[in-house]
């Protein structure tokens, strides 16, 4: 897979790899390469300016690696069940969150311990019982390691504190957040509305890595807004206003926006009218939705028709899968431009 990378002399390789990892800039899904006297370290940034290192940056084709290495051999589970062991996980800070097939549940602790033994940077392994309710929080059970659900996650040089049992956060959206940041026009000082902000990953990355006027970040979950406030301070950004409440009612306190982020994948579409009402003419909505792959064309038409019903003409500038959600569906983003 093609990725930007830092080219470092072999003698400095480990120091720089560690620094990049601490800053949340290292791409752990790709294997570091060594060619002659240099090491090529894949990084999760598009612009060299985002990292303060005095080494050249280039683009290379890297081999992809399994996120969590070696634990399958170590896991004390019957041989015939090993093929059911998961290969992908969510890693939030030093917490690993995984789903297990029914047959593996009696071996949860053994699996968790094998993961901890093979990954020094993980301290907790928690079983994911699914994302539930209005706050979209996960039903978690710790199966190995320390008995805590609080952590600090690093992403593109930013830090996000959270309690993963009380707030929603997805590390799998990191590249999508960066894509949105890269779309922002830095000359005009956009006003941004993050309607379902959680602990602030979109809002804070935008405020930190682009030249916007202000971000208005809303969430209905008091714990999320508490962490959002903490994370605004932690990352030293000062142009974010945060609001606790239902986006539908809070929105009347907020000025019209040039760009709106609607990341509530199971029901964002129900808030489309609310978003369109406060979108500047020519503005953009990034609408996230879980869609069955075969229904994508129908869903796209539905979005445009619904907007028409609210008295707005929109064009879908871009639609793409952010990641798979099930074998037949995906989390899709629709970039909607208002034509009015
Ligand atoms: C899928 S999470 C997204 C969080 C964040 N944008 C992120 O990327 O991590 C959706 C968030 O919307 C919040 N939420 C749900 N219904 C809401 C509503 N009516 N108004 C405001 N926030 C809402 C939930 O509490 C949750 O934090």
């Amino acid at each position: 897979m093609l990725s930007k990378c830092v080219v470092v002399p072999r003698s400095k390789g480990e120091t720089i790899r560690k620094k990049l990892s601490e800053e949340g800039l290292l791409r752990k899904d790709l294997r570091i390469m060594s060619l002659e006297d240099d090491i090529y370290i894949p990084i999760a940034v598009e612009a060299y300016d985002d990292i303060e290192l005095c080494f050249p940056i280039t683009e290379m084709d890297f081999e992809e690696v399994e996120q969590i290495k070696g634990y399958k051999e170590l896991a004390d589970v019957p041989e015939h069940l090993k093929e059911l062991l998961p290969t992908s996980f969510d890693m939030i800070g030093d917490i690993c969150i995984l789903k297990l097939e029914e047959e593996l549940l009696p071996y949860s602790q053994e699996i968790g311990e094998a993961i901890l033994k093979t990954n020094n940077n993980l301290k907790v392994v928690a079983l994911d019982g699914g994302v539930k309710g209005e706050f979209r929080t996960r039903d978690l059970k710790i199966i190995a390691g320390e008995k805590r659900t609080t952590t600090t996650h690093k992403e593109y040089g930013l830090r996000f504190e959270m309690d993963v049992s009380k707030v929603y956060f997805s590390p799998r959206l990191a590249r999508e957040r960066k894509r949105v940041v890269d779309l922002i026009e830095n000359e005009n000082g956009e006003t941004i509305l993050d309607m379902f902000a959680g602990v602030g990953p979109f809002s804070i990355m935008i405020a930190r890595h682009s030249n916007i006027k202000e971000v208005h970040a809303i969430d209905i979950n008091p714990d999320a807004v508490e962490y959002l406030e903490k994370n605004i301070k932690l990352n030293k950004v000062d142009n974010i206003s945060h609001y606790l409440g239902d986006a539908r009612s809070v929105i009347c306190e907020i000025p019209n926006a040039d760009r709106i982020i609607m990341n509530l994948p199971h029901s964002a579409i129900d808030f489309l009218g609310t978003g369109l009402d406060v979108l500047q003419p020519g503005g953009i909505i990034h609408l996230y939705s879980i869609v069955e792959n075969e229904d994508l064309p129908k869903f796209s038409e539905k979005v445009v028709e619904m907007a028409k019903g609210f008295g707005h003409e929109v064009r879908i500038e871009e639609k793409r899968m952010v990641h798979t959600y099930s074998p037949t569906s995906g989390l899709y983003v629709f970039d909607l431009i208002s034509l009015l």
Side-chain angles (χ1 to χ4, degrees):
M1 171 186 279
L2 278 181
S3 171
K4 295 275 182 209
C5 56
V6 187
V7 189
V8 183
R10 195 179 288 275
S11 60
K12 300 237 164 54
E14 183 48 21
T15 317
I16 301 302
R17 186 202 65 77
K18 238 170 137 183
K19 186 170 159 65
L20 290 166
S21 176
E22 280 165 13
E23 294 299 323
L25 300 171
L26 178 69
R27 284 199 63 181
K28 293 180 180 160
D29 58 326
L30 301 177
R31 197 179 301 286
I32 293 174
M33 278 199 301
S34 105
L35 283 176
E36 297 176 348
D37 291 334
D38 291 323
I39 305 279
Y40 293 75
I41 307 178
I43 50 170
V45 280
E46 259 68 53
Y48 188 40
D49 290 352
D50 289 0
I51 50 173
E52 288 165 15
L53 294 172
C54 316
F55 296 105
I57 199 163
T58 184
E59 195 170 55
M60 298 279 279
D61 202 1
F62 288 90
E63 186 191 338
E64 293 180 47
V65 288
E66 220 179 64
Q67 289 269 333
I68 292 194
K69 306 147 282 173
Y71 89 97
K72 286 188 184 181
E73 293 80 67
L74 215 67
D76 191 7
V77 305
E79 211 46 45
H80 70 282
L81 293 179
K82 287 214 165 177
E83 63 180 29
L84 297 178
L85 285 167
T87 48
S88 71
F89 311 85
D90 271 353
M91 286 190 266
I92 306 184
D94 58 4
I95 301 180
C96 168
I97 297 175
L98 79 164
K99 286 199 165 112
L100 289 178
E101 301 279 349
E102 188 95 25
E103 298 93 310
L104 287 173
L105 291 179
Y107 307 97
S108 302
Q109 191 183 337
E110 288 81 353
I111 295 167
E113 277 163 7
I115 290 173
L116 291 182
K117 273 196 196 125
T118 44
N119 291 271
N120 291 337
N121 47 352
L122 291 173
K123 299 287 178 260
V124 183
V125 181
L127 192 60
D128 189 351
V131 174
K132 298 196 174 96
E134 191 175 41
F135 297 169
R136 312 306 299 143
T137 44
R138 293 176 202 251
D139 183 9
L140 294 177
K141 182 177 163 221
I142 295 178
I143 54 173
E146 297 173 21
K147 301 277 174 273
R148 65 170 159 86
T149 48
T150 51
T151 191
T152 302
H153 183 81
K154 292 174 190 159
E155 181 176 296
Y156 286 98
L158 302 170
R159 273 151 225 265
F160 298 101
E161 268 185 32
M162 70 193 85
D163 182 330
V164 291
S165 69
K166 293 185 176 164
V167 300
Y168 176 90
F169 181 84
S170 171
R172 290 199 277 162
L173 291 188
R175 290 175 77 75
E176 170 58 19
R177 295 191 256 270
K178 184 69 167 75
R179 183 188 77 88
V180 170
V181 167
D182 290 342
L183 290 173
I184 293 174
E185 288 191 14
N186 285 324
E187 305 86 63
N188 301 331
E190 292 186 8
T191 294
I192 312 283
L193 169 59
D194 188 358
M195 272 172 81
F196 313 104
V199 302
F202 272 103
S203 293
I204 294 173
M205 192 183 291
I206 288 171
R208 194 63 192 290
H209 290 307
S210 60
N211 186 20
I212 44 96
K213 187 170 171 215
E214 56 192 345
V215 182
H216 297 274
I218 309 173
D219 205 284
I220 201 167
N221 176 356
D223 290 306
V225 175
E226 203 175 297
Y227 278 110
L228 167 64
E229 202 176 347
K230 272 191 197 167
N231 292 327
I232 289 171
K233 289 190 188 125
L234 190 64
N235 292 287
K236 300 186 176 62
V237 283
D238 53 15
N239 45 358
I240 302 181
S241 305
H242 52 86
Y243 308 81
L244 171 63
D246 187 327
R248 275 176 284 228
S249 40
V250 171
I251 221 148
C252 55
E253 301 169 30
I254 292 172
N256 284 2
D258 302 296
R259 187 177 300 271
I260 302 180
I261 293 140
M262 296 180 67
N263 179 23
L264 184 61
H266 287 277
S267 49
I269 186 100
D270 300 337
F271 291 77
L272 185 61
T274 309
L276 286 166
D277 280 351
V278 294
L279 184 66
Q280 291 281 20
I284 296 177
I285 291 183
H286 303 288
L287 177 84
Y288 295 86
S289 199
I290 308 284
V291 183
E292 283 293 322
N293 300 329
E294 63 177 21
D295 291 343
L296 194 59
K298 245 195 286 165
F299 187 87
S300 307
E301 276 170 33
K302 179 175 155 187
V303 170
V304 174
E305 282 308 307
M306 274 180 82
K308 239 184 222 153
F310 293 118
H312 292 261
E313 206 175 318
V314 298
R315 186 180 73 232
I316 299 182
E317 180 72 358
E318 166 94 36
K319 65 174 173 240
R320 55 159 72 191
M321 193 195 270
V322 180
H323 59 67
T324 53
Y325 181 73
S326 74
T328 59
S329 67
L331 169 65
Y332 285 88
V333 58
F334 299 82
D335 293 349
L336 310 176
I337 300 206
S338 146
L339 302 175
L340 281 184

